Each structure stands twice: as structure tokens, then as C-alpha cells.
Amino acid sequence: EKNKMLTRIYGVGFATKKELDEYLLMVEEAKKRDHKILGPELDLFTFSDLVGSGLPLWTPKGTILRNTLDDFVWSLREKRGYLKVEIPHITKKDLYITSGHWDKFKDELFRITTREGHEFAMKPMNCPHHTQIYARKQWSELPQRYANTTTCYRDEQSGELSGLARVRACAQDDAHVFCRMAQAKEEFLKIWDIVHEFYAAFGFELRARLSLHDPAHPEKYLGSPEKWATAEGILREIVTEKTKNWFEGLGEAAFYGPKLDFMAKDALGREWQVATIQLDVNMPDRFDLYCKNEKGENERIVMIHAAIMGSIERFLSILIEHTAGAFPFWLAPVQVIILPINDQLSDYVNKVKNELKQAGLRVEVDERGESIGKKIREAEMQKIPYLLVI
């Protein structure tokens, strides 16, 4: 990045005039839906030069969005036996040396040196911390399912940052399942159901990518070829049983194991990678994680990584553009706004507002002395689902 930059020129070509026209329409529509513009206009998030680029600040409305989405994911997980855990945001470098992340990601870490000279890092992912929660005691009853929505930090370069889509601080709705190899398929299927129930709520079409390691570059991956073959075989069996709409992604695996990535098509027909389920047969080895089996013997376990939204910031960048900021009623930060035509109606306005709040709705009142026409226009621009004119 210290070299003199070339000028990069992109070109697109089309076989027919119709395809060109459709593309130009999509480009114009994408501009109207740009989350970098809509987010601040709808008062969902902001950036500050004093805080730093790539570090979004969430307003009250944006925080309602995040919390409502996270509560939805948690409701799906809780029904399937997950337990919430919490972890610190920093760690000694030793944790990432053991996990293998230090060698792989050391240039992308925010590093901290303490007054006593100890080296710490801001966590770029949560799985190594979760291994230590599992390792606190000896287990005979598995699976153990841990869920944790928490912020991770990566030292992205300034030129790589883009609105909410690429940030330096991203919250992940992360979960890790510690189970026996014989239980892995059943646990994958539970997560598969969570993914499809969640994305169906927004009208996303999903297809699955079976993300495999590239045998031509063994240096990029942890573990033996035999372990990779076993893990990839399980995932191939799952995806072929569950759907016909899948494809292979050679070289798209995580460095510790293969994964199923879900690709969502938005309202403009663009495809995004969203949820992911990963089968990890390497980290349990590196941290010496095991359970006691029926014979009283130590049995090596496997670890499943599962993120439904993945980065909440990135998911919201996709969702804002998919919906053009007009969120489903259950998700809208303000569900109802009351627009009185004058200031002599306050008693009745408050009565209606309180009844709606008691019913569990998110309500605002526009008490300004503006014309009713202006109030309606501004409420529509804020994409509030219900406008009550009194």
C-alpha cells in the first residue's frame, strides 16, 4: 500500500439492450437504497472523526434495531438448548498462539502492551475464549452450546472501510457447540433450521455454499488431510440431504475447518454471504478438549462455530438496502407515530399513546406546531409503518 497507486477502471458488458437497461435501473435503485445515506437519514447510526473511521456509533433507534434482531436470534437458539455466556474484549497473546490465530492474523490485531510489559490483543473473534469456558471442568454430557453477542475488533486499513459493510468494530451473534463427532450432524441441522427461519422473516432467498479447503495450498490450513476429509464428508452429506440449491467453494474454508456459508439474494437481485456454520476438528486438538465417554475414556470432541447474522453491522447494511429502510413492522424502531393537528388535543393524544405503549408498541408523538401536511411528509420519509392523525 506504500507504492504509487494505479488507477483501476471497471467495465461491464451486456449481450442485449434489455440487460443493459435492467442493470442501469438496478444501479439507480441501489443509489436510493445506499445504507451509508439511509442510515444517517433514518437516524440509525453515525460516525465521528473524534472516535475514528470504521467505528460506528448507534443511536437509540439503531440500538432498537440491533437489540430486536439479536433477541430474535436468541429466541431461536434458546428453544434449541443454547446458554448465554460472556467474555472480556482483550486477551493475552498466548490464547491466540495456542489457537493458531496469532500467526494467521497478527497483522490485523489491535495490540496492547501493559505497564508491566505483557502483550495483549483486542479480540478479533470469540472462539478461543469460548474454549476456555468449556475447559473449566470435565464433561460427560454433551453437547454444550454457548451463545454470545459481543464486539470484535480488527485493524482494517482505511481504504478497506465502507460504511457498515467493513468496519473496525463489529458485533457478532456468535455461538459455539462442543459435541462428539457423532452428534455433529444433528447440531448442524438445528443451526440450519435457525438460519432458514431467521432469513425467511425478511424474504431473503438462500442458497448454500459448501466451503472446502484447497489441497494445493496445505500451508493455509491447520490439521491433517484425514481430518479434513472426515469433516468435509459430514458437511457434504448434510447439504445434499437438505437442499438442491448449493454449490462448492474450493479454498473458501476457514483455516481450521470446512463450513457451510449461506448466500442471500436481496430485493435488487444482488447476492451476499450471510450466515455461516463451521465444523472445527482442529481447535479442540490445540486446546486439548475432550469429554468422558460411556467407557469412562477421554474422547476428543469437535467444535461447531455458528453465526446467524455474522457481523450485525454488515447484516444491517444488507438489510437497510434490501428493505430501502422500510423495515417490517415488528422491527421498525418507531412503529406508530401520532400526528395531532393542533395542541388542544393533548389529553386524547396521551390516552392513545399510553394505550399503544401498554400493548407493547414503540410510539412517538409529533407535538411540533407544524402543518399536518409537513408532519405526514416527514413521518413518511422516516418510513414509520403507521401514522395516526388526530
Side-chain angles (χ1 to χ4, degrees):
E1 73 273 16
K2 295 179 176 63
N3 293 337
K4 185 179 176 182
M5 291 295 104
L6 297 173
T7 298
R8 180 175 294 180
I9 301 172
Y10 292 96
V12 288
F14 302 91
T16 66
K17 176 75 163 54
K18 179 173 179 287
E19 287 174 292
L20 169 61
D21 291 343
E22 287 171 353
Y23 173 78
L24 293 175
L25 275 174
M26 189 274 286
V27 169
E28 286 306 308
E29 187 62 29
K31 286 179 187 172
K32 296 179 204 166
R33 293 168 178 255
D34 187 345
H35 78 276
K36 297 186 290 296
I37 297 171
L38 275 180
E41 282 182 357
L42 298 176
D43 195 27
L44 303 177
F45 61 85
T46 188
F47 289 93
S48 161
D49 289 339
L50 287 175
V51 175
S53 55
L55 300 169
L57 303 167
W58 293 90
T59 66
K61 287 181 181 177
T63 302
I64 288 170
L65 268 186
R66 289 166 60 95
N67 290 347
T68 305
L69 289 167
D70 192 39
D71 289 346
F72 182 21
V73 172
W74 171 242
S75 71
L76 299 175
R77 282 178 165 155
E78 188 177 26
K79 288 189 289 192
R80 292 164 174 90
Y82 283 77
L83 301 169
K84 283 189 177 182
V85 296
E86 199 52 77
I87 59 176
H89 290 237
I90 62 172
T91 177
K92 289 166 60 179
K93 68 183 276 189
D94 308 56
L95 182 71
Y96 290 138
I97 289 172
T98 303
S99 70
H101 288 96
W102 190 265
D103 286 340
K104 189 83 176 168
F105 294 111
K106 62 176 178 279
D107 294 333
E108 297 170 34
L109 300 177
F110 286 108
R111 302 192 206 177
I112 306 160
T113 302
T114 69
R115 288 176 294 173
E116 298 172 325
H118 303 302
E119 196 163 4
F120 281 68
M122 301 286 285
K123 64 182 176 64
M125 68 285 297
N126 309 308
C127 37
H129 283 78
H130 286 189
T131 66
Q132 298 310 287
I133 297 176
Y134 177 86
R136 76 192 188 277
K137 59 190 283 189
Q138 182 176 288
W139 297 97
S140 56
E141 297 202 6
L142 293 183
Q144 288 290 308
R145 307 179 187 94
Y146 301 149
N148 188 194
T149 299
T150 178
T151 301
C152 294
Y153 307 88
R154 297 184 184 178
D155 186 10
E156 306 283 8
Q157 297 182 95
S158 299
E160 297 173 324
L161 301 173
S162 176
L164 297 180
R166 191 81 177 261
V167 290
R168 287 178 169 140
C170 63
Q172 295 180 347
D173 61 335
D174 221 353
H176 295 95
V177 178
F178 299 87
C179 64
R180 301 167 74 173
M181 182 65 92
Q183 298 168 318
K185 181 177 179 182
E186 183 182 351
E187 293 303 311
F188 253 78
L189 293 174
K190 287 177 182 174
I191 302 164
W192 180 288
D193 290 344
I194 290 172
V195 169
H196 283 78
E197 190 171 342
F198 179 81
Y199 283 92
F202 307 100
F204 281 115
E205 297 175 30
L206 293 180
R207 65 176 182 145
R209 180 178 71 197
L210 174 58
S211 295
L212 307 169
H213 81 299
D214 184 353
H217 296 282
E219 73 282 357
K220 292 184 178 180
Y221 308 97
L222 299 177
S224 67
E226 295 76 22
K227 282 186 176 175
W228 278 89
T230 300
E232 289 177 349
I234 291 172
L235 268 58
R236 189 180 298 277
E237 185 180 319
I238 291 167
V239 75
T240 52
E241 282 180 16
K242 291 296 287 184
T243 182
K244 290 190 171 74
N245 195 9
W246 70 278
F247 65 103
E248 287 188 6
L250 188 67
E252 296 290 343
F255 76 100
Y256 47 72
K259 53 184 180 155
L260 292 180
D261 293 316
F262 294 89
M263 319 299 287
K265 192 170 281 190
D266 70 10
L268 295 181
R270 300 172 300 180
E271 195 168 58
W272 309 90
Q273 182 192 327
V274 284
T276 183
I277 322 174
Q278 305 171 4
L279 181 55
D280 185 349
V281 293
N282 286 297
M283 213 172 295
D285 265 356
R286 296 179 74 93
F287 284 106
D288 193 24
L289 304 180
Y290 60 87
C291 67
K292 285 286 183 188
N293 64 20
E294 297 86 348
K295 298 176 183 175
E297 300 166 340
N298 288 350
E299 179 182 320
R300 179 68 70 221
I301 64 164
V302 297
M303 185 175 172
I304 298 171
H305 307 244
I308 309 305
M309 289 182 280
S311 157
I312 296 179
E313 284 74 14
R314 184 171 173 278
F315 174 72
L316 273 169
S317 75
I318 296 167
L319 186 63
I320 290 168
E321 297 188 6
H322 176 60
T323 61
F327 301 109
F329 177 72
W330 62 270
L331 183 59
V334 179
Q335 295 169 311
V336 180
I337 187 164
I338 300 173
L339 309 174
I341 63 168
N342 60 47
D343 58 6
Q344 298 166 28
L345 303 165
S346 57
D347 289 345
Y348 184 63
V349 166
N350 286 331
K351 178 176 180 288
V352 173
K353 175 185 172 183
N354 291 335
E355 285 183 9
L356 292 170
K357 282 198 164 186
Q358 285 168 12
L361 299 179
R362 296 185 286 273
V363 187
E364 283 188 358
V365 177
D366 187 344
E367 298 175 306
R368 298 173 304 158
E370 302 286 355
S371 71
I372 193 64
K374 183 173 182 180
K375 289 182 180 182
I376 289 171
R377 278 195 306 277
E378 291 185 4
E380 287 177 338
M381 287 174 66
Q382 287 296 302
K383 302 182 189 286
I384 297 169
Y386 285 94
L387 283 55
L388 304 187
V389 177
I390 297 180

